[in-house]
Amino acid sequence: MPIYVYWGEDDFAIEKAVTALRDRILDPSWTTFNYTAFPPEQSDATIAGLNQAMTPPFGAGGRLVWLVNSTLCQHCPENVLSELTRTLPIIPEESFLLLTSRTKPDERLKSTKLLKKFAVEFREFPLIPPWKTELLLQSVQQAAQFVGVKLTPGAAQMLAEAVGNDTRLLYNELEKILLYADGNNKPQDTDTVAQLVRNTSQNSLQLAAAIKTGDTAKALAILADLINACEPSLRIVATLIGQFRTWLWVKIMMESGEKNPQAIAQAAEVSNPKRIYFLQQEVKYLSVEQLIACLPLLLELEVSLKQGATEILTLQTKVIELCQVCQGK
């Protein structure tokens, strides 16, 4: 059946997938007649979308019906489920139904099971956790290949550190580098990235590293740079929590006497076992107790920010407290 379900927090990646699907299905001359997007604010969006999907396309190409930010996989009234059950098996081959959502589908719902049964593609577009540096680097390399930009390994690493898991920013910066290259097939180096890409000087992982060493002045300076670069505070906290959890698991495994990098990597959820050696060096001078003590502070920080606490002051206060823990005070 010509049904597609996309969900996840990476809005830009979903937008690109929707655009690719639209370009593949629709004939440009007949787009006005054969393309309809139903916003979530429309009370009868699902029923209207299903009815529209049953209509064969006009002229050349296919028809695309898009239910934007659909809640069918989170909540589905009985009358809508009945319509879904009746309609999905008989949608014309030339008509395509697309559902997108930021929220993960509830696998227990009958509507979700029904959509999975008939969907050609049931796909997640997750944001890569900022502390999973290997996946971020892989994402940069894939995006560079898609855009047509060649990067040296150092430039790719610098770009990954600069943009983090912001896919939209990644593609914007790659387009900028592509224009700068102006058809030159030579791989662009770190000097080019440093000149063109914003926020290459500091990132949240560097903030974590400064906290780990107890360098309060450096940590506050990096935090100030992140705030000035408009880095979302909750994204900073998410990176810190992820990094300190990874460090804690590596340290616990070291203390237990585990020597196998694969076993440590599995416990710490590190995809590349070769990175374990470097993580072990990073936590060499920290105790398990210090790392454990950092996590409640980070969780307190996250809760405070979500409850509307003053952003800059709260971040600065907790960064100082974390540095003191790592200093052994």
Side-chain angles (χ1 to χ4, degrees):
M1 291 295 110
I3 298 163
Y4 294 78
V5 181
Y6 296 157
W7 84 93
E9 295 181 341
D10 196 337
D11 296 329
F12 183 71
I14 290 179
E15 287 176 20
K16 286 181 67 66
V18 171
T19 300
L21 188 64
R22 190 169 58 215
D23 291 344
R24 180 166 62 83
I25 292 171
L26 300 173
D27 184 302
S29 302
W30 294 90
T31 298
T32 304
F33 299 96
N34 292 327
Y35 173 60
T36 313
F38 290 91
E41 298 81 23
Q42 186 173 329
S43 58
D44 64 340
T46 300
I47 300 297
L50 291 173
N51 290 336
Q52 187 77 357
M54 289 298 295
T55 307
F58 293 107
R63 174 182 296 282
L64 177 61
V65 178
W66 179 14
L67 299 181
V68 183
N69 292 333
S70 171
T71 58
L72 274 178
C73 292
Q74 290 79 45
H75 171 69
C76 185
E78 282 299 324
N79 66 311
V80 176
L81 179 61
S82 299
E83 188 67 20
L84 205 63
T85 304
R86 184 186 68 84
T87 304
L88 292 187
I90 57 174
I91 291 177
E93 289 186 5
E94 305 82 15
S95 292
F96 295 78
L97 178 64
L98 168 66
L99 291 82
T100 59
S101 173
R102 283 182 58 86
T103 309
K104 182 179 180 179
D106 186 341
E107 300 283 351
R108 300 167 297 177
L109 291 182
K110 292 180 180 178
S111 54
T112 301
K113 294 176 181 177
L114 195 62
L115 285 165
K116 286 190 76 172
K117 177 181 178 181
F118 289 106
V120 172
E121 193 172 13
F122 199 87
R123 182 178 174 190
E124 181 182 9
F125 293 81
L127 283 174
I128 299 172
W131 57 91
K132 294 198 172 182
T133 53
E134 302 96 338
L135 294 180
L136 292 174
L137 179 58
Q138 183 180 340
S139 175
V140 167
Q141 293 166 339
Q142 291 172 347
Q145 186 176 9
F146 179 83
V147 173
V149 172
K150 291 184 178 180
L151 299 171
T152 64
Q157 182 67 47
M158 180 180 284
L159 186 56
E161 292 175 356
V163 302
N165 63 1
D166 190 333
T167 312
R168 188 183 304 276
L169 178 59
L170 170 60
Y171 277 84
N172 287 343
E173 299 298 353
L174 284 171
E175 292 289 351
K176 194 190 302 181
I177 295 171
L178 181 66
L179 287 173
Y180 178 83
D182 194 26
N184 187 345
N185 286 327
K186 179 183 176 182
Q188 302 301 307
D189 58 18
T190 53
D191 290 338
T192 301
V193 174
Q195 290 176 35
L196 298 178
V197 178
R198 74 166 178 84
N199 193 25
T200 59
S201 57
Q202 310 291 359
N203 62 42
S204 299
L205 288 175
Q206 290 171 314
L207 174 59
I211 291 172
K212 173 181 66 68
T213 60
D215 192 335
T216 306
K218 183 177 180 180
L220 289 175
I222 293 174
L223 177 62
D225 286 345
L226 289 169
I227 292 170
N228 291 334
C230 299
E231 183 73 4
S233 57
L234 287 175
R235 185 182 296 172
I236 295 173
V237 177
T239 303
L240 293 178
I241 291 174
Q243 187 64 20
F244 272 87
R245 278 178 175 165
T246 300
W247 280 333
L248 175 58
W249 272 110
V250 170
K251 190 68 177 183
I252 288 173
M253 296 297 284
M254 289 171 63
E255 295 281 316
S256 71
E258 180 61 63
K259 303 292 185 183
N260 187 343
Q262 282 79 15
I264 299 175
Q266 184 176 4
E269 296 183 359
V270 175
S271 58
N272 183 4
K274 293 181 180 179
R275 188 171 163 238
I276 294 301
Y277 170 79
F278 300 100
L279 288 169
Q280 288 173 323
Q281 299 307 305
E282 290 171 8
V283 297
K284 193 172 182 179
Y285 299 106
L286 283 177
S287 67
V288 170
E289 290 73 22
Q290 284 174 304
L291 290 167
I292 289 176
C294 287
L295 289 178
L297 293 175
L298 288 167
L299 293 175
E300 287 173 15
L301 173 57
E302 182 180 25
V303 171
S304 297
L305 291 172
K306 287 181 176 179
Q307 291 178 342
T310 305
E311 184 176 288
I312 296 176
L313 180 59
T314 304
L315 283 166
Q316 289 174 334
T317 302
K318 288 301 179 185
V319 163
I320 292 171
E321 292 179 17
L322 288 163
C323 286
Q324 290 174 341
V325 169
C326 293
Q327 290 168 0
K329 295 181 179 180

